[in-house]
Amino acid sequence: MLIGKRQTRLVVGVLFLIGGAAVAVAAVQGSNPVEQGREEFIELGCYQCHGFQGQGGAAPRLAPKPIALDNFKRIVRRPPNVMPAYSPAVVSEEQLERIHLYLESIPQPPDVSSLPLLSGE
């Protein structure tokens, strides 16, 4: 049975989407854990309340110097405030560990006195 042009375009479109998703997954799997953690932090929407650098905003500051990993996991699973709980079905232990690695990788901001614009020099 021959398929028409419309079905051919549909098949090509689906294959393109599947191929693009496979490339995206491979890119994340092939990157380092800190970069994966940064991507997961963004994909899960953590940045919306905690800021892209974990600096805080509508929610507490997470970086630099995040809390210990075990406490971090406990709070993500059973948050004390208005933050939604993230079950292992939504965020795996490995994802939490990578996100924590990302937060640990964020450096301290420079001292205000080292910034000429702010030090009055």
Side-chain angles (χ1 to χ4, degrees):
M1 176 174 142
L2 296 174
I3 60 173
K5 288 182 182 179
R6 187 172 182 189
Q7 288 90 0
T8 302
R9 279 189 239 141
L10 179 62
V11 169
V12 169
V14 169
L15 291 174
F16 179 77
L17 288 174
I18 292 170
V23 169
V25 168
V28 169
Q29 289 174 345
S31 62
N32 70 48
V34 170
E35 182 59 26
Q36 283 180 292
R38 185 188 73 75
E39 291 170 7
E40 290 162 339
F41 185 83
I42 293 168
E43 288 170 6
L44 291 166
C46 306
Y47 74 92
Q48 294 173 350
C49 297
H50 296 285
F52 280 99
Q53 296 278 309
Q55 75 274 14
R61 178 180 60 83
L62 300 177
K65 299 182 180 177
I67 61 175
L69 179 59
D70 289 339
N71 289 337
F72 177 74
K73 288 179 179 181
R74 183 180 47 77
I75 289 172
V76 169
R77 300 288 186 224
R78 293 183 308 275
N81 297 317
V82 296
M83 181 177 132
Y86 289 85
S87 73
V90 176
V91 183
S92 71
E93 291 293 308
E94 294 79 16
Q95 286 176 302
L96 287 178
E97 290 169 9
R98 287 189 299 265
I99 290 169
H100 194 266
L101 282 173
Y102 163 64
L103 296 171
E104 285 181 322
S105 77
I106 297 172
Q108 280 286 110
D111 186 81
V112 174
S113 63
S114 71
L115 303 173
L117 182 63
L118 298 177
S119 67
E121 294 177 13

